[in-house]
Amino acid sequence: MTDANRRGFLKAGAVTAAGAAVLATPSVSRAQTTTLRFQSTWPQRDIFHEFAQDFVSRVNAMGGGRLRLELLAAGAVVGAFQVLDAVHSGTLDGGHGVSAYWFGRNRAFSLFGTTPPWFGDANQMLGWFYYGGGEALYRELMHDILRMNAVGFMSGPMPTQPLGWFRNPIERPDQIRGLRYRTVGLATDLFQEMGAAVVALPGGEIVPALERGVIDGAEFNNPSSDRVLGFPDVAKNYYIQSYHQAVECFEILFNRQRFEALPEELRAVIRHSAEASSADMSWKLQDRYSRDLLAMSQQQGVNVRPTPRPVLDAQLQAWDRVIARQEGDTSNPSAGPFFKKVCDSQREWCRRVGNFSLRYNVSAVVSYNHFFARG
């Protein structure tokens, strides 16, 4: 081979190798990073803010340097109860909270957060949202009825919430009457039906109000949140199990224009991050909630008791009246036909799925007692 031929051969080989390297190199977008301000409705130290961070971390990890959420705690830009309006206006790009907080704007919002207790658990409610028509109804409420410039995803199945914290023991339904009590969403109607004077407060304001005697009792959500917010320091009677908020999940909000302006793959990152963080939360809370409940009872002198059956029965009877009144209130644009439309959809799902779950799953009580409750 002559020198000229050799040089030509080497040059051709170099070109071929370079071409192969181009083909083997993944396509990397050099688009500028989109940064969105994302505020939770939770205090910085609450485990709920940690759950919001878990969602944000997944988006940032999968965003490939093209999408980044900047997480802020409640009050950083607006108060907890102002997040939806801030997302709507574009003051915030997104937010993490619960749809029951927008109950005052339309009562049907609570049906996507703290529903009547016809769902067996919150995972069944998420099943309804994503596979039983709930997401379409949510969009109808958000976009068609209220004209809100926001999109939302449901995420994070919560266990049954406690009846709450009380200075004095609660043994009978009549003790609810006249009680100044904190809750949110449809549970406000439920406790008003039971005779309580209901006060709606964001998470960070509940314990100071209980300590000052502004309220007589309160619920927030779970042992980990309740412990870090300081409930054991101001009350010792903690009643778990209740039908007022038997199921709930988080709502992840984004400004609609900002969300729809994102490329399709980044919109998918947000949606799938909501799903992934939902699963992770359901695993993490098993560890944290169980540890904190034991710590409060064993180390902080909290009397952890199940809500008495007469109170539970009274709650279910009150639910019947609340649902009938809301569905029949045709003069109220926040209730009436659309409220009933959502309830009908949920009932249809719960009859079928709840029946399957109760018939199909073996009793966890029997097996738990067999292995762990022996004398």
Side-chain angles (χ1 to χ4, degrees), residues 19-86:
V22 169
L23 291 173
T25 302
S27 176
V28 178
S29 171
R30 303 195 183 279
Q32 186 175 359
T33 299
T34 298
T35 301
L36 302 178
R37 289 202 303 173
F38 186 83
Q39 183 187 301
S40 85
T41 57
W42 319 115
Q44 181 83 39
R45 65 190 189 278
D46 184 14
I47 193 172
F48 279 8
H49 190 71
E50 183 180 332
F51 291 147
Q53 180 63 66
D54 292 339
F55 165 73
V56 165
S57 296
R58 281 165 172 76
V59 171
N60 292 347
M62 292 190 286
R66 298 176 58 199
L67 176 63
R68 180 178 179 274
L69 302 187
E70 176 189 351
L71 179 63
L72 305 167
V77 178
V78 296
F81 288 172
Q82 283 75 54
V83 165
L84 176 59
D85 286 329

Side-chain angles (χ1 to χ4, degrees), residues 143 231 315 322 334:
H143 299 158
F231 279 96
Q315 286 181 326
V322 168
S334 292

Side-chain angles (χ1 to χ4, degrees), residues 20-294:
V22 169
L23 291 173
T25 302
S27 176
V28 178
S29 171
R30 303 195 183 279
Q32 186 175 359
T33 299
T34 298
T35 301
L36 302 178
R37 289 202 303 173
F38 186 83
Q39 183 187 301
S40 85
T41 57
W42 319 115
Q44 181 83 39
R45 65 190 189 278
D46 184 14
I47 193 172
F48 279 8
H49 190 71
E50 183 180 332
F51 291 147
Q53 180 63 66
D54 292 339
F55 165 73
V56 165
S57 296
R58 281 165 172 76
V59 171
N60 292 347
M62 292 190 286
R66 298 176 58 199
L67 176 63
R68 180 178 179 274
L69 302 187
E70 176 189 351
L71 179 63
L72 305 167
V77 178
V78 296
F81 288 172
Q82 283 75 54
V83 165
L84 176 59
D85 286 329
V87 171
H88 166 77
S89 67
T91 303
L92 287 169
D93 299 311
H96 185 281
V98 290
S99 64
Y101 277 3
W102 328 132
F103 173 74
R105 187 179 296 275
N106 190 294
R107 292 178 180 273
F109 261 123
S110 198
L111 296 173
F112 299 93
T114 58
T115 76
W118 38 46
F119 289 99
D121 58 34
N123 208 41
Q124 287 183 14
M125 182 174 70
L126 286 170
W128 165 77
F129 185 81
Y130 287 108
Y131 288 93
E135 189 171 16
L137 290 167
Y138 176 81
R139 288 197 301 267
E140 181 179 349
L141 173 62
M142 186 73 81
H143 299 158
D144 301 339
I145 296 176
L146 295 178
R147 307 289 182 183
M148 297 301 293
N149 186 32
V151 295
F153 306 93
M154 297 299 151
S155 176
M158 302 180 195
T160 296
Q161 296 179 37
L163 183 69
W165 298 84
F166 302 88
R167 294 179 181 276
N168 300 309
I170 300 293
E171 303 296 340
R172 306 179 312 277
D174 62 89
Q175 291 176 279
I176 302 294
R177 188 164 299 280
L179 206 68
R180 294 169 299 174
Y181 179 81
R182 182 271 177 191
T183 191
V184 295
L186 271 178
T188 60
D189 280 14
L190 180 77
F191 278 97
Q192 286 170 351
E193 184 68 32
M194 297 177 71
V198 178
V199 180
L201 295 170
E205 298 178 20
I206 305 170
V207 170
L210 190 59
E211 186 174 25
R212 296 195 310 269
V214 175
I215 54 178
D216 305 307
E219 59 81 28
F220 180 63
N221 188 278
N222 66 83
S224 296
S225 293
D226 290 356
R227 190 181 183 203
V228 77
L229 290 174
F231 279 96
D233 298 329
V234 299
K236 295 299 183 184
N237 296 294
Y238 188 38
Y239 286 89
I240 57 176
Q241 303 176 10
S242 178
Y243 284 124
H244 79 287
Q245 289 176 332
V247 302
E248 189 173 17
C249 63
F250 290 121
E251 176 188 51
I252 294 172
L253 290 170
F254 283 92
N255 176 274
R256 187 177 183 180
Q257 291 174 319
R258 306 257 170 88
F259 178 80
E260 293 181 348
L262 293 172
E264 182 179 355
E265 65 270 22
L266 294 185
R267 296 197 302 270
V269 163
I270 288 175
R271 185 179 185 93
H272 296 319
S273 293
E275 296 168 352
S277 60
S278 183
D280 182 69
M281 173 191 145
S282 70
W283 306 326
K284 178 186 283 189
L285 66 80
Q286 295 174 41
D287 176 49
R288 299 280 286 279
Y289 290 7
S290 62
R291 289 179 186 274
D292 283 318
L293 185 64
L294 286 176

